Amino acid sequence: MVVAFAPLPVSSSSPQARNFRLEARQFAFSPSELFVNPGDILTLELVSTDVVHGIYIDGYDLSVEADPGRTATLTFIADKPGSFRFRCHVTCGAMHPFMIGKLTVGTNNWLYRSIGFSVLAVLGLLLFPRTDPKIKL
Amino acid sequence: MELTRLSLLESALKSRYPQLAVFIVMLVGYIFAIIAGLIGTPVGSSNFSIVFVWIAWWAILILIAVPFFGRGWCAVCPIPLPGEWLQRGAVLGPHGNRWSSRRRGTDADSVLLDRRRRTETKWLNLRVPKMFRNIWLQNISFLLLALFSSVLLTTPNITGIVLAAMLFAAVGLSMVFERRAFCRYLCPVGGFIGLYSQTAPIELRIKDKQVCVKCKDKPCYHGSSAGYGCPWDVFPGGLTRNTYCGLCMECIRTCPHDNIAVNLRPFSADLAKPSARMDEAFKAFIMLGSAMIYAGVLLGPWGMFKDAAYNVGTTAWFIYAIIFLTIIFGVLPGLFTLGLLQTKGAASLKQRFASLSTALIPLGLMFWVAFSLSFVLTNASYILAALSDPLGLGWNLFDTANIAWQPMLTSVLAPAQTLALVVGLIWSARTAQKSANEAGVSPFTIIIYCLIATSVMLWLLL
């Protein structure tokens, strides 16, 4: 419970407008990892360098698509903290389902809490092992 | 709890017809997947072969069938059927007794039938050579598919070719070797299903060992007029683990003493009896490592790795393959061995390695569950569209062809993955404590190993 609800350090930087030029090609985004602060106003300029690509952001449920050579823009406030996959949502070739990037808003608290859970679980098992009678094979 | 005490279930398992009905549906679906792969659209997300095999079937297999029914999939898998039908010369019961599923054979029947079958068979009916009677070939076949998986998972005609190759391989092996040699020794899927079936809460076991001891002719292994000898080359009287029992239910039909039961049991009951086999130990590492590599390569944000995995035959792919194999055969077992070196026990290091790697089985299964949740929930919406237009030819059979792609349950994905991984860690740690207790060593380093692996997987997925 402590791990689940303990307050974690919060970034104190004030929200700001951030622009990212995101190049999409089969089957990757560049840059593929974006780090912003909660509350930032984020503008993604999606540029496709080969075929039509899109970007869909998990958790935010936002999307935009770009034709080759044309820039498509998506602006939103990054008001949900955590780590989110963004992915191409326009079928663009064989590896399309795996054309994925990662947006981290603030700190990826869920990851740290999950690792904390794991450590606590292991500590519990090590400190309070259940001893079973030896099983005969 | 003995499930076969339920008379309805017992009748359904003893009769060949319900199983045959499922087999036929599966076989039709399998052949359609091959055809769709070969002649359908090259767009994977619109092709039945990719969507139904790698999204729908995989989801059912890894999220439901294996964790809850163990080798339940093997019980209805269509791959061995054509070969087995040819090998037996029959689709239902043994020759000369087509309706035999309704009655029991006697012990004497079984010997006569076994002799007759051996002399009458049109095929070679050889024993698989002893050197291949392990799961090393299954380890290799899985790794071969794994190394090409980026192409296999996304390219319909490659999926079609691989599915067809598995069907032909099963037929070919049935013509040369006795029983289900493909399932038992070569199937790339069967190896890991067998490994993880040990965790399932279901088992097929004998009721009374003494009955088997006194049974003269062992019709469950040799066959009788009531049915065939174990297709998996297992003597049911000696079953202590699920690993190699394909749940085909043939022994339930042949046992003249009604001494075989399907039981409900606690999860992972088999893991209390650690294996001492290196082929199974390495299977655990192969599965653990593959899940981690897939999580990084397929679901991670690193385009360079995806390019390398997809461009088969290039220098980048060879480097990827070397790294893949190094992680599986070097890094993971190497670190595990380093941990074991810190423990002292009466058993040799090799024995400790083999038996304590049992602890990695629940962890590996839950790694696959966590990985598959992400992949399946993101792509499940393709299923309805592919159902209406399985070949990508513009059909709209069920008015669902134009359903837009939409990821499902993204808000619960991360909690579900964490839950799966932490449950896997606790499960493995408990298994490590039991295995270490058996081996007379400390489980500490194995548990820390599992913790580190879980943390890496959490980082890759979240």
Side-chain angles (χ1 to χ4, degrees):
Chain A
M1 295 300 278
V2 170
V3 172
F5 298 110
L8 292 171
V10 179
S11 170
S12 58
S13 51
S14 55
Q16 52 185 290
R18 288 175 184 266
N19 278 28
F20 289 98
R21 179 186 159 87
L22 209 56
E23 279 194 7
R25 60 157 180 94
Q26 289 176 319
F27 300 98
F29 294 100
S30 178
S32 60
E33 291 184 86
L34 307 176
F35 297 91
V36 299
N37 293 315
D40 282 357
I41 301 166
L42 202 59
T43 300
L44 301 180
E45 292 174 10
L46 183 67
V47 184
S48 171
T49 59
D50 41 33
V51 297
V52 181
H53 289 289
I55 183 170
Y56 172 93
I57 304 172
D58 289 2
Y60 282 83
D61 202 19
L62 296 168
S63 63
V64 71
E65 59 185 77
D67 292 332
R70 291 195 171 186
T71 302
T73 304
L74 178 67
T75 301
F76 64 100
I77 299 173
D79 52 359
K80 296 178 189 171
S83 181
F84 306 90
R85 293 286 195 277
F86 57 85
R87 56 187 86 238
C88 179
H89 73 294
V90 179
T91 303
C92 60
M95 286 283 279
H96 157 71
F98 304 115
M99 185 170 165
I100 292 169
K102 197 171 173 182
L103 166 68
T104 304
V105 181
T107 314
N108 189 357
N109 286 345
W110 187 265
L111 170 64
Y112 300 130
R113 289 184 197 280
S114 299
I115 292 174
F117 264 129
S118 305
V119 173
L120 275 184
V122 163
L123 278 176
L125 282 164
L126 288 174
L127 293 175
F128 308 105
R130 272 168 51 190
T131 48
D132 294 339
K134 197 161 181 171
I135 299 151
K136 289 183 180 172
L137 298 180
Chain B
M1 178 188 168
E2 187 188 331
L3 294 176
T4 31
R5 277 193 185 158
L6 304 168
S7 56
L8 193 67
L9 182 68
E10 189 191 21
S11 307
L13 295 179
K14 282 182 178 170
S15 169
R16 293 179 185 278
Y17 293 104
Q19 194 179 30
L20 181 67
V22 181
F23 272 150
I24 288 171
V25 172
M26 293 293 175
L27 189 58
V28 168
Y30 191 88
I31 291 170
F32 187 70
I34 294 173
I35 294 168
L38 297 178
I39 69 168
T41 173
V43 179
S45 54
S46 302
N47 189 299
F48 180 89
S49 68
I50 296 291
V51 174
F52 271 78
V53 174
W54 300 124
I55 301 174
W57 170 77
W58 181 257
I60 292 167
L61 181 77
I62 209 71
L63 302 178
I64 299 167
V66 173
F68 295 103
F69 300 99
R71 277 205 187 263
W73 164 254
C74 298
V76 295
C77 175
I79 297 173
L81 289 185
E84 192 165 72
W85 290 340
L86 284 170
Q87 188 187 59
R88 292 171 172 177
V91 172
L92 282 169
H95 265 319
N97 195 355
R98 201 160 288 274
W99 314 110
S100 60
S101 62
R102 295 176 184 208
R103 76 172 187 86
R104 289 292 160 90
T106 62
D107 286 4
D109 279 346
S110 76
V111 174
L112 289 172
L113 196 87
D114 189 41
R115 280 189 196 142
R116 199 173 74 195
R117 193 177 301 133
R118 282 176 184 280
T119 51
E120 280 180 0
T121 185
K122 289 176 246 174
W123 314 108
L124 294 176
N125 210 31
L126 302 175
R127 287 280 288 163
V128 171
K130 195 174 178 185
M131 65 178 292
F132 296 122
R133 275 186 249 150
N134 49 55
I135 62 166
W136 280 115
L137 283 178
Q138 287 182 317
N139 289 346
I140 292 168
S141 63
F142 177 86
L143 281 172
L144 275 177
L145 292 189
L147 286 174
F148 295 96
S149 59
S150 296
V151 177
L152 174 65
L153 295 179
T154 57
T155 314
N157 59 4
I158 300 295
T159 285
I161 289 167
V162 168
L163 295 181
M166 286 169 68
L167 196 65
F168 285 120
V171 170
L173 288 179
S174 293
M175 301 300 92
V176 177
F177 298 109
E178 62 171 7
R179 307 177 197 252
R180 289 188 183 180
F182 175 82
C183 302
R184 179 70 198 264
Y185 301 113
L186 191 59
C187 178
V189 180
F192 77 78
I193 296 180
L195 187 80
Y196 291 145
S197 69
Q198 297 177 83
T199 65
I202 201 160
E203 65 179 14
L204 182 143
R205 296 288 187 275
I206 54 166
K207 297 176 191 172
D208 182 352
K209 196 164 190 174
Q210 285 309 310
V211 173
C212 294
V213 170
K214 288 175 189 163
C215 179
K216 202 173 141 196
D217 297 310
K218 318 290 190 236
C220 58
Y221 183 75
H222 296 292
S224 72
S225 58
Y228 300 95
C230 178
W232 288 76
D233 201 15
V234 169
F235 171 51
L239 267 179
T240 56
R241 297 190 296 146
N242 284 354
T243 318
Y244 303 111
C245 168
L247 293 178
C248 66
M249 305 297 159
E250 210 55 48
C251 55
I252 286 190
R253 295 172 189 130
T254 52
C255 178
H257 310 292
D258 203 14
N259 193 40
I260 298 192
V262 176
N263 303 320
L264 204 57
R265 64 177 197 179
F267 280 95
S268 74
D270 289 354
L271 301 184
K273 297 154 276 197
S275 164
R277 290 173 50 164
M278 290 300 274
D279 55 343
E280 292 179 11
F282 269 94
K283 175 55 98 182
F285 285 103
I286 288 169
M287 297 312 296
L288 192 77
S290 298
M292 295 169 84
I293 293 167
Y294 281 175
V297 172
L298 298 180
L299 304 182
W302 306 289
M304 183 180 69
F305 295 155
K306 295 177 208 291
D307 289 344
Y310 183 70
N311 293 308
V312 171
T314 61
T315 307
W317 180 81
F318 279 107
I319 293 169
Y320 163 75
I322 290 167
I323 293 171
F324 193 112
L325 296 174
T326 305
I327 289 172
I328 281 169
F329 288 110
V331 177
L332 290 177
L335 291 174
F336 190 78
T337 308
L338 276 179
L340 287 184
L341 287 172
Q342 310 305 314
T343 64
K344 296 273 184 280
S348 69
L349 182 64
K350 189 179 171 185
Q351 285 170 321
R352 276 183 284 156
F353 179 89
S355 65
L356 294 174
S357 64
T358 303
L360 304 179
I361 293 173
L363 194 68
L365 175 62
M366 299 315 275
F367 274 24
W368 278 97
V369 167
F371 163 77
S372 302
L373 277 172
S374 177
F375 175 61
V376 168
L377 291 179
T378 304
N379 296 297
S381 59
Y382 288 129
I383 294 173
L384 288 176
L387 200 62
S388 270
D389 188 14
L391 302 177
L393 299 178
W395 301 349
N396 197 357
L397 299 175
F398 305 105
D399 205 25
T400 56
N402 298 316
I403 287 179
W405 170 84
Q406 181 72 28
M408 293 165 62
L409 302 172
T410 48
S411 59
V412 300
L413 179 59
Q417 288 176 315
T418 297
L419 184 68
L421 294 175
V422 175
V423 165
L425 174 64
I426 295 169
W427 196 356
S428 272
R430 288 287 299 128
T431 308
Q433 287 176 329
K434 288 177 188 171
S435 305
N437 189 33
E438 276 294 307
V441 298
S442 163
F444 181 76
T445 54
I446 301 157
I447 294 174
I448 296 302
Y449 180 92
C450 293
L451 174 64
I452 293 169
T454 304
S455 301
V456 171
M457 193 65 174
L458 284 165
W459 173 70
L460 289 169
L461 288 176
L462 299 179

